[in-house]
């Protein structure tokens, strides 16, 4: 038992952090929000070159996975830098294709996802697909299986300007008759939880920096106890979500993943509320970069399983396991 | 990254589980906040100690098993899952013992630790005073030099278990004119039955004498009962205050067991629906606390000290404990009000969590200033 990231995993996080820090992600996000995907695509290629998508893809299809712990490490960094695009969806699509009985579509499509040449999106049943206008592969779950949709419906804005939602027509080539949606959902939830934790950590860091420098009444506002205590609570929520995330990545049980999703997303959202409040009016502007993380925290809370659905999965998981051993 | 326990660790866990299965009293002991319950709990400590289960993480020479932090966590998990009694020696084991391991002399350890491990000498913590709560450094009880030792005078309060305990440890002002309040304090141990000590039990919310006031009038303490250097008491005390807030006071095993019991209660009662989310949150919170502890234990094994991180623990478990018990009372409906169910007693006790071991406001200050690096402000 050594429940800590090892040196290699930490180095992987640091290298992604370096890559993303130098990429000026805020301007990439703003381009993406306007429907201009050029800079986002370029960043996507660099993220793929760093190996992020290979983590969900087995060696047989030109990946190195499945490596859920490393995937969680990567998605924390993607969240910390507010990277836009169907990141989670590409991972979920990869798992759906990998685990299918028929290896044909996997052989054809997975190497393209692993290399970053193609970006995939996926509409959960009855829901929207993220960034259907940008994705190359649009997967849709229909009554008879997983299909490759030929096009996408109109782009609808999300409350997070960087998320562009599209309906997909339930038509196109039938890829898999009985897709393993439950497994893909688990990976999607894990990646979303990790991304949310990253979003929360970025919000906390930025807010700590801001309250240390903004003065009112002649002192930094960070010296006021009401301000400190809100930030302390944000820190507690994030620091207790972190082990849940990595524990879930280690076990990959439905229950642990659902618990991580609730805790990380709720911690990030609560941190967003605190971050906005402590920034005052400047936090409430689209010009100021904080907004890029604020709205994402709310969107991730609902994506791939609401807190209510995830809590149900936790309760269900305990009934199944019986007493812990 | 690994969450699997080694076969040797699992064997240790299994041994603990077997022992507990064969020895945990079939019916709960009377409350340890009564004279009768205190005696019964002492006897339980002796039973634990006889088979070296009372202080598993201590060195064997003092009655332990040299088990590391990880095995201690596994032991605690089994202990609470087995429904074993509350630990009457908690203050001594989790506060005084670590202090003696860090700052005591060989002679002090040999003299104090074995009877503590066996429940023969139960210790009380005498830190707080009527005018020194959160601002503990403002304490005014005095230690005055005398032949071969010190004379203590003043008043201590809120001393848990002091109504029935044998000895106490605490901070006293030995140099009255220092420039700063944290200086000139001395940490020492004294006998609660020594001449000059008056113990007045104080009823807790439920009326039981769970803590006490101590009036000290020229109480003699020999030099060998000073811990660390005279005048350096603050440093000695603070180096172990983290233990109180951190893991050793509230192990994850306790909350894992409570969350499992809450879940069983929910399955049995199934209502009200409004409590469902909180039942799920109790399970999630216990798992988070367990994994947070494993991460902390891993860092500790790597030689890191946990320091101000224990403040994260303190706020988390104290708030968790209250919500968990509130949820149980809600599930119990009108029965929730009955005072003789385990849940309601646990509820009343949980209410004190955000107050003792350093209030949660003080912990949030520590988190903000020491972990987040925010500027110090006016208190
Ligand atoms: C069940 C129980 C058991 C205890 N057992 C022991 C024991 O065994 N030994 C022992 O020595 N003591 C014990 N205590 C005492 C405990 O350590 C103190 O109660 C605690 O330190 C707080 O001190 P106080 O009660 O004087 O409250 P105060 O310090 O007067 O605080 C009152 C309120 O003001 C707030 N406050 C004070 N200062 C600040 C600040 N700077 N910023 C923000 N808020 C502030 C506090 O957080 C609190 O909410 C016990 C207490 C309880 C409830």
């Amino acid at each position: 038992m050594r429940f800590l990231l090892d040196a290699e995993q930490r180095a992987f996080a640091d290298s992604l952090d370096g890559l993303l820090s130098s990429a000026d992600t805020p301007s990439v996000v703003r381009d993406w929000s306007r429907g201009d995907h050029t800079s986002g695509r370029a960043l996507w290629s660099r993220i793929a070159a760093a190996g992020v998508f290979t983590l969900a893809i087995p060696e047989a299809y030109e990946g190195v996975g499945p490596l859920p712990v490393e995937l969680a490490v990567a998605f924390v960094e993607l969240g910390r830098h507010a990277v836009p695009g169907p990141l989670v969806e590409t991972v979920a699509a990869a798992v759906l294709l990998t685990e299918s009985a028929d290896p044909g579509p996997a052989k054809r499509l997975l190497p393209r996802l692993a290399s970053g040449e193609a970006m995939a999106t996926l509409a959960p049943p009855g829901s929207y697909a993220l960034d259907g206008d940008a994705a190359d592969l649009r997967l849709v779950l229909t009554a008879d299986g997983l299909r490759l949709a030929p096009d996408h419906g109109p782009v609808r804005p999300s409350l997070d300007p960087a998320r562009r939602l599209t309906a997909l027509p339930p038509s196109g080539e039938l890829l898999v008759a009985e897709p393993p949606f439950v497994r893909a959902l688990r990976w999607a939830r894990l990646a979303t939880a990790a991304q949310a934790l990253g979003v929360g950590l970025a919000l906390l860091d930025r807010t700590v920096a801001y309250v240390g420098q903004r003065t009112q009444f002649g002192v930094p506002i960070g010296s006021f106890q009401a301000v400190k205590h809100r930030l302390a609570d944000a820190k507690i929520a994030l620091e207790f979500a972190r082990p849940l995330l990595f524990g879930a990545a280690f076990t990959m049980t439905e229950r642990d993943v659902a618990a991580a999703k609730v805790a990380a997303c709720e911690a990030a959202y609560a941190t967003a509320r605190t971050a906005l409040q402590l920034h005052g009016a400047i936090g409430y502007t689209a010009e100021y970069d904080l907004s890029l993380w604020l709205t994402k925290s709310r969107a991730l809370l609902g994506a791939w399983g609401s807190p209510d659905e995830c809590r149900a999965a936790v309760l269900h998981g305990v009934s199944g396991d019986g007493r812990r051993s | 990254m690994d969450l699997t326990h080694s076969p040797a660790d699992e064997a240790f866990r299994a041994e603990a589980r077997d022992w507990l299965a064969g020895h945990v009293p079939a019916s709960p002991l009377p409350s340890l906040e009564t004279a009768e319950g205190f005696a019964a709990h002492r006897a339980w400590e002796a039973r634990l100690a006889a088979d070296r289960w009372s202080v598993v993480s201590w060195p064997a020479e003092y009655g332990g098993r040299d088990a590391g932090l990880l095995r201690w966590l596994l032991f605690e998990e089994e202990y609470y899952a087995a429904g074993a009694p509350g630990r009457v020696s908690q203050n001594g084991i989790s506060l005084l013992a670590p202090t003696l391991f860090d700052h005591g002399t060989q002679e002090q350890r040999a003299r104090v630790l074995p009877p503590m491990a066996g429940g023969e000498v139960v210790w009380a913590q005498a830190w707080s005073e009527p005018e020194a709560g959160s601002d503990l450094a403002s304490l005014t009880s005095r230690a005055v030099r005398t032949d071969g030792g010190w004379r203590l005078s003043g008043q201590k309060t809120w001393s848990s278990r002091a109504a029935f305990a044998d000895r106490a440890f605490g901070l006293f002002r030995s140099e009255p004119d220092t420039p700063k309040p944290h200086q000139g304090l001395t940490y020492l141990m004294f006998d609660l039955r020594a001449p000059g000590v008056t113990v007045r039990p104080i009823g807790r919310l439920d009326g039981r004498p769970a803590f006490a006031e101590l009036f000290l009038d020229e109480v003699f303490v020999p030099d060998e009962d000073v811990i660390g250097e005279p005048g350096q008491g603050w440093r000695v005390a603070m180096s172990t205050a983290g233990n109180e807030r951190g893991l050793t006071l509230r192990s994850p095993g306790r909350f894992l067991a409570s969350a499992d019991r809450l879940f069983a209660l929910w399955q049995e009662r199934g209502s009200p629906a409004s409590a469902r989310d909180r039942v799920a949150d109790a399970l999630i919170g216990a798992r988070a606390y367990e994994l947070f502890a494993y991460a902390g234990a891993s860092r500790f094994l790597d030689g890191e000290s946990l320091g101000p991180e224990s403040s994260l623990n303190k706020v988390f478990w104290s708030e968790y404990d209250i919500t968990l018990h509130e949820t149980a009372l809600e599930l119990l409906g009108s029965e929730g009000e009955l005072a003789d169910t385990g849940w309601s007693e646990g509820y009343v006790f949980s209410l004190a969590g955000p107050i003792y071991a350093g209030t949660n406001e003080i912990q949030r200050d520590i988190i903000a200033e020491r972990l987040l690096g925010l500027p110090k402000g006016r208190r």
Side-chain angles (χ1 to χ4, degrees):
Chain A
M1 207 289 311
R2 191 177 178 283
F3 185 55
L4 286 180
L5 295 178
D6 61 31
E8 219 173 302
Q9 289 161 337
R10 276 178 288 144
F12 180 47
D14 288 346
S15 76
L16 271 179
D17 181 42
L19 185 164
L20 297 168
S21 297
S22 66
D24 188 14
T25 50
S27 70
V28 176
V29 180
R30 292 181 197 288
D31 289 350
W32 193 270
S33 306
R34 285 193 307 272
D36 172 358
H37 300 132
T38 323
S39 63
R41 282 239 165 234
L43 182 59
W44 190 278
S45 303
R46 297 181 62 198
I47 290 167
V52 170
F53 301 112
T54 64
L55 301 170
I57 297 173
E59 283 176 36
Y61 306 115
E62 296 176 28
V64 300
L67 291 173
V69 174
E70 282 73 10
L71 187 96
V73 167
F75 271 71
V76 170
E77 295 309 314
L78 298 175
R80 284 209 316 123
H81 292 275
V83 173
L87 297 155
V88 171
E89 291 66 22
T90 293
V91 165
V95 173
L96 265 183
L97 293 169
T98 303
E99 300 284 323
S100 300
D102 174 7
K107 281 213 168 81
R108 176 156 55 99
L109 303 175
L110 286 178
R112 296 177 59 202
L113 295 184
S115 69
E117 179 200 330
M119 167 182 295
T121 193
L122 174 64
S127 180
Y128 294 100
L130 181 63
D131 298 314
D133 56 334
D136 310 282
L137 305 177
R138 288 176 287 267
L139 303 183
V140 59
L141 286 152
T142 61
D144 56 354
L146 181 70
R147 290 179 177 276
L148 192 57
D151 51 20
H152 62 84
V155 174
R156 302 189 54 181
S158 150
L159 55 79
D160 173 15
R163 287 168 63 91
R164 298 158 55 84
L165 301 174
T166 44
L168 298 183
S171 58
E173 180 195 342
L174 182 68
L175 292 175
V176 187
E178 280 173 21
F181 181 66
V182 172
R183 248 189 85 81
L185 181 62
R186 228 176 270 181
W187 281 74
R189 282 183 179 169
L190 181 79
T192 308
Q195 203 183 355
L197 181 66
V199 166
L201 293 171
L203 285 162
L204 179 62
D205 279 353
R206 293 182 153 256
T207 309
V208 166
Y210 183 76
V211 303
Q213 149 250 301
R214 167 77 172 167
T215 63
Q216 290 291 285
F217 306 98
V219 291
I221 57 174
S223 64
F224 298 131
Q225 206 173 47
V227 168
K228 281 183 184 165
H229 287 193
R230 285 200 72 154
L231 289 169
D233 283 336
K235 173 83 176 163
I236 294 166
L238 293 168
E239 289 308 329
F240 279 89
R242 190 198 298 271
L244 280 175
L245 172 70
F246 289 109
F250 184 78
T251 67
M252 281 306 262
T253 63
E254 184 189 12
R255 166 188 170 183
D256 279 353
V257 171
K261 169 81 169 69
V262 181
C265 289
E266 289 193 344
Y269 181 61
T271 304
R273 293 281 319 276
T274 290
L276 174 56
Q277 184 65 24
L278 300 188
H279 275 79
I282 194 165
Y284 197 72
T285 62
E287 282 135 57
Y288 194 69
D289 283 347
L290 189 77
S291 65
L292 309 180
W293 287 271
L294 285 176
T295 50
K296 195 173 302 302
S297 73
R298 178 66 228 187
L300 294 178
L301 185 64
W304 294 104
S306 65
D308 185 60
E309 289 168 285
C310 290
R311 286 193 170 92
V314 168
L315 291 169
H316 179 75
V318 178
S319 318
D321 291 359
R323 184 189 177 276
R324 64 190 92 238
S325 65
Chain B
M1 170 76 54
D2 193 1
L3 268 174
T4 46
H5 300 302
S6 71
D9 290 342
E10 285 297 356
F12 172 86
R13 181 212 280 279
E15 193 188 343
R17 184 183 292 185
D18 285 350
W19 189 89
L20 289 160
H23 292 86
V24 169
S27 49
L29 303 183
S31 164
L32 63 80
E33 315 300 359
T34 61
E36 178 204 7
F38 209 83
H41 279 79
R42 265 188 207 267
W44 168 246
E45 291 293 321
R47 189 70 272 265
L48 280 169
D51 290 328
R52 290 191 303 125
W53 290 112
S54 70
V55 286
V56 295
S57 59
W58 290 10
E61 59 180 311
Y62 305 125
R65 290 175 174 246
D66 284 303
L69 187 52
L70 179 61
R71 286 195 184 175
W72 177 77
L73 289 170
L74 297 180
F75 171 75
E76 288 277 299
E77 208 174 294
E78 293 305 320
Y79 189 87
Y80 286 102
R87 302 290 306 271
V88 70
S89 295
Q90 172 106 275
N91 275 332
I93 293 171
S94 74
L95 293 170
L96 178 58
T99 310
L100 291 176
F101 284 125
D102 288 355
H103 301 276
T105 62
Q106 189 56 40
E107 183 277 325
Q108 285 173 331
R109 289 195 279 267
R111 175 164 51 94
V112 172
L113 296 178
M116 179 195 291
E120 291 146 52
V121 176
V122 175
W123 289 84
Q125 180 197 27
W127 286 23
S128 304
E129 295 182 3
E131 301 304 325
S134 300
D135 184 13
L136 181 64
S138 68
L139 60 87
T140 56
S141 291
R142 300 177 312 280
V144 178
R145 263 243 169 265
T146 181
D147 263 2
W150 302 78
R151 291 211 176 266
L152 309 184
S153 298
Q155 186 184 350
K156 295 284 178 180
T157 192
W158 315 129
S159 187
S160 291
R161 253 143 260 159
F164 307 111
D166 308 293
R167 306 201 75 205
F169 52 94
L171 279 167
F172 292 82
R173 194 163 294 285
S174 49
E175 297 158 34
D177 300 315
T178 57
K180 290 195 176 145
H182 304 82
Q183 297 167 351
L185 301 174
T186 296
Y187 201 39
L188 25 75
M189 305 179 270
F190 59 98
D191 205 317
L192 285 169
R193 300 199 189 90
V197 179
T198 308
V199 178
R200 188 186 77 84
I202 306 173
R204 198 171 56 173
L205 273 191
D206 61 4
R208 291 191 171 120
F211 39 34
E213 277 180 303
L214 313 175
F215 299 91
L216 307 171
D217 181 17
E218 304 272 309
V219 178
F220 177 74
V221 175
D223 278 325
E224 69 235 37
D225 279 346
V226 171
I227 308 175
E229 290 298 308
Q232 298 296 312
W234 186 259
R235 209 174 52 82
V236 174
M238 287 308 119
S239 79
T240 46
N243 285 298
E244 184 173 22
R245 290 163 204 153
L247 282 179
T248 53
L249 185 59
R250 292 288 173 266
S251 67
R254 184 183 179 117
F255 298 122
L256 289 167
S258 299
D260 282 348
R261 286 191 191 109
L262 182 72
F263 181 73
L265 183 68
W266 176 69
Q267 282 198 311
E268 190 187 304
R269 306 270 164 155
S271 63
S274 60
R276 169 191 166 270
D277 282 3
R278 271 170 290 138
V279 172
D281 286 345
L283 294 164
I284 296 170
R287 177 75 170 154
Y289 193 62
E290 176 191 24
L291 293 170
F292 189 86
Y294 282 155
S298 301
R299 281 202 304 276
F300 188 78
L301 295 174
D302 284 359
E304 272 180 56
S305 72
L306 300 179
E309 297 226 332
S310 60
S311 295
L312 298 170
N313 257 39
K314 160 78 213 293
V315 178
F316 186 87
W317 65 248
S318 58
E319 293 189 344
Y320 174 87
D321 203 24
I322 293 180
T323 319
L324 179 127
H325 282 91
E326 284 173 345
T327 308
L329 297 197
E330 195 180 336
L331 290 172
L332 286 166
S334 58
E335 275 171 58
E337 187 187 332
L338 296 174
D340 53 5
T341 71
W343 284 114
S344 64
E345 198 181 334
Y347 165 73
V348 171
F349 183 56
S350 75
L351 291 177
I355 300 172
Y356 65 81
T359 69
N360 284 10
E361 286 73 26
I362 299 297
Q363 303 315 309
R364 287 187 172 93
D365 280 349
I366 294 173
I367 293 166
E369 290 169 12
R370 313 247 306 266
L371 294 176
L372 296 176
L374 292 173
K376 272 192 176 293
R378 286 194 43 201
R379 288 268 172 269

